[in-house]
Amino acid sequence: MWENAVDWLVYTAWNMPHDQLAGALNFFLYDTGKILTLLVTIVFAISLLRTFFSVATTKRIIAKLPPVVGNILAALLGIVTPFCSCSAVPLFIGFVRGGIPLGVTFSFLIASPMINEVALVLLAGLFGWKIALIYIGTGLLIAIVAGLVIGWLKLESSVEGFVFGKDAEALVEEKPTWKERFSGAWNDTTEILYKVWIYVLVAIAIGAFIHGYVPEDFFVEYLGKGQWYSVPLATLLGIPLYSNAAGIIPIISALFEKGVPLGTALAFMMAVTALSFPEFVILRRVLKLRLLVVFASVVGAGIMITGFLFNAVQL
Amino acid sequence: MTIQILGSGCAKCNQLEKETKAAVAELGLPIAIEKITDFNRIGDMGVMVTPAIAIDNVVKFAGKVLTKDRIKQLIQEGK
């Protein structure tokens, strides 16, 4: 329906010829409308869901669980617990002091930024629900397995000494009313939209340009399945591009359309959201360099395996 | 009375500090504002999401920026 409306606007109302410019414009208007609608609805729904969770309750739940089960639940709760990576350090300290194993804490810290609502909307809107679900599934798997590996390596000695201390009682917040849940979720939604809309629009515009002007299969030669280095390259490129899942995914979707294989595209998106240089700097306050390197390498390896796997099977 | 703002210089922490200063100024009460950026102390106070606000070392809210009016209300409740 929206597609027909945009077609009508571009080709009938504005009477544009069926050329590259009209194609790019059509693509831009169609994607912008779709993505902004999805952003408002899905971000609101997830924000509302999050009012039922808190870091304090998540901590209480996973503190009681044995390893493996703990890692699985920590990764799952990482998706729905309201938490921003700017709070990674106090959260890390709170979890470790509460007796939560290092590996379980990492499962939470990996899943939480990787599977975020903005990435989800863009994936679902531009790649479809199937690929969005693949991203969630493999993202969870990476968070769980990387946490288990970090746990097995017994790296507690690579955590800064001050982190270990007496556990403090976390603040128990009052249960919000429904009215507070809705207004809180709406505030979060507008805040997120305000933060990302410009990135989304610019990225969709670049995507539209690629869609209209770059020839089909343009990237196959350089970034195709046959080029083994495309996955590690995508992973490395993702590290400095922090917090801009909003500004990256529309571009990746256009590259995907022009021949970049799914595994490479997935690896790039995961690296952008899960591996970020500013987050490494923040975490250095509580992790010694050795543990930081292990964390980045284990997650990076997981992302690359995912990339190679999906390039090999090519859905 | 002392109000503590817990957080390590994030944008929201500064925002909360600003709202708190405005609230205190409007009430005209002799209230000190202390910024706690040391993660060890933040951990000792049981705060896992920043920014947080405490009155005389008792944490009141964590993870959100309260409005000036809400902070005024907190101060009056705490008197």
Side-chain angles (χ1 to χ4, degrees):
Chain A
M1 192 181 71
W2 176 236
E3 199 173 355
N4 296 338
V6 174
D7 278 344
W8 176 84
L9 187 70
V10 173
Y11 298 114
T12 312
W14 293 339
N15 201 16
M16 289 176 77
H18 284 258
D19 58 5
Q20 284 171 321
L21 179 67
L25 186 67
N26 191 316
F27 190 86
F28 176 77
L29 291 174
Y30 175 73
D31 270 0
T32 304
K34 185 170 70 175
I35 294 304
L36 290 182
T37 312
L38 272 174
L39 264 177
V40 174
T41 49
I42 294 182
V43 171
F44 182 76
I46 294 179
S47 300
L48 193 62
L49 178 69
R50 285 208 176 128
T51 65
F52 290 89
F53 295 84
S54 78
V55 170
T57 47
T58 293
K59 177 182 169 183
R60 220 173 306 134
I61 294 167
I62 56 182
K64 295 188 193 113
L65 299 171
V68 186
V69 182
N71 290 80
I72 295 169
L73 225 70
L76 285 169
L77 286 168
I79 306 174
V80 289
T81 306
F83 161 73
C84 111
S85 54
C86 49
S87 289
V89 167
L91 178 121
F92 186 85
I93 296 171
F95 273 28
V96 170
R97 288 188 181 173
I100 294 170
L102 202 53
V104 175
T105 304
F106 270 105
S107 286
F108 180 93
L109 280 178
I110 296 164
S112 180
M114 183 147 65
I115 306 170
N116 71 77
E117 60 275 33
V118 175
L120 218 59
V121 166
L122 293 166
L123 279 168
L126 299 170
F127 286 83
W129 283 103
K130 189 174 125 192
I131 289 176
L133 289 174
I134 288 174
Y135 179 91
I136 298 175
T138 49
L140 277 173
L141 200 63
I142 290 173
I144 293 163
V145 175
L148 282 171
V149 171
I150 291 170
W152 287 328
L153 292 173
K154 303 223 175 305
L155 290 158
E156 278 74 6
S157 63
S158 294
V159 173
E160 295 291 352
F162 83 89
V163 171
F164 301 98
K166 216 173 119 280
D167 190 25
E169 198 64 45
L171 168 80
V172 181
E173 284 179 35
E174 278 171 44
K175 212 174 138 194
T177 60
W178 274 101
K179 200 177 151 235
E180 286 167 335
R181 286 185 204 283
F182 274 99
S183 69
W186 181 245
N187 283 345
D188 288 349
T189 309
T190 50
E191 195 182 307
I192 289 173
L193 267 175
Y194 181 74
K195 217 161 57 184
V196 304
W197 73 272
I198 185 75
Y199 295 107
V200 175
L201 285 199
V202 170
I204 293 176
I206 297 172
F209 174 81
I210 295 170
H211 173 85
Y213 291 90
V214 174
E216 292 291 317
D217 296 335
F218 179 77
F219 293 103
V220 170
E221 193 181 339
Y222 306 105
L223 291 168
K225 275 188 287 179
Q227 275 67 37
W228 67 270
Y229 56 79
S230 84
V231 170
L233 186 72
T235 308
L236 283 177
L237 274 178
I239 297 176
L241 296 169
Y242 168 61
S243 83
N244 278 328
I248 291 292
I249 295 177
I251 300 173
I252 303 175
S253 113
L255 299 180
F256 177 63
E257 187 198 345
K258 303 290 181 182
V260 170
L262 180 62
T264 306
L266 276 176
F268 191 48
M269 287 183 275
M270 286 179 162
V272 168
T273 52
L275 296 175
S276 83
F277 189 73
E279 205 195 349
F280 295 160
V281 175
I282 293 173
L283 283 174
R284 178 65 190 85
R285 307 279 288 266
V286 281
L287 308 179
K288 290 181 185 162
L289 194 60
R290 197 168 75 121
L291 182 47
L292 204 56
V293 171
V294 169
F295 160 62
S297 316
V298 171
V299 176
I303 291 172
M304 284 190 242
I305 292 169
T306 305
F308 285 127
L309 209 68
F310 280 100
N311 278 359
V313 299
Q314 191 67 7
L315 286 164
Chain B
M1 182 189 272
T2 307
I3 298 181
Q4 284 93 11
I5 307 289
L6 296 83
S8 58
C10 53
K12 283 189 177 178
C13 309
N14 297 334
Q15 180 69 29
L16 182 61
E17 190 189 6
K18 221 174 80 187
E19 297 284 336
T20 308
K21 277 185 178 157
V24 169
E26 277 185 24
L27 287 173
L29 294 169
I31 296 170
I33 298 173
E34 182 191 3
K35 250 191 125 171
I36 301 179
T37 54
D38 175 25
F39 284 123
N40 198 11
R41 269 191 80 190
I42 294 174
D44 285 342
M45 291 173 79
V47 167
M48 288 185 286
V49 274
T50 54
I53 185 167
I55 294 183
D56 293 329
N57 290 308
V58 180
V59 180
K60 298 292 182 188
F61 279 95
K64 51 184 152 215
V65 178
L66 300 186
T67 59
K68 183 182 70 186
D69 292 336
R70 188 74 188 84
I71 298 167
K72 274 159 81 174
Q73 201 184 330
L74 271 185
I75 293 170
Q76 259 141 6
E77 283 166 12
K79 266 200 304 190

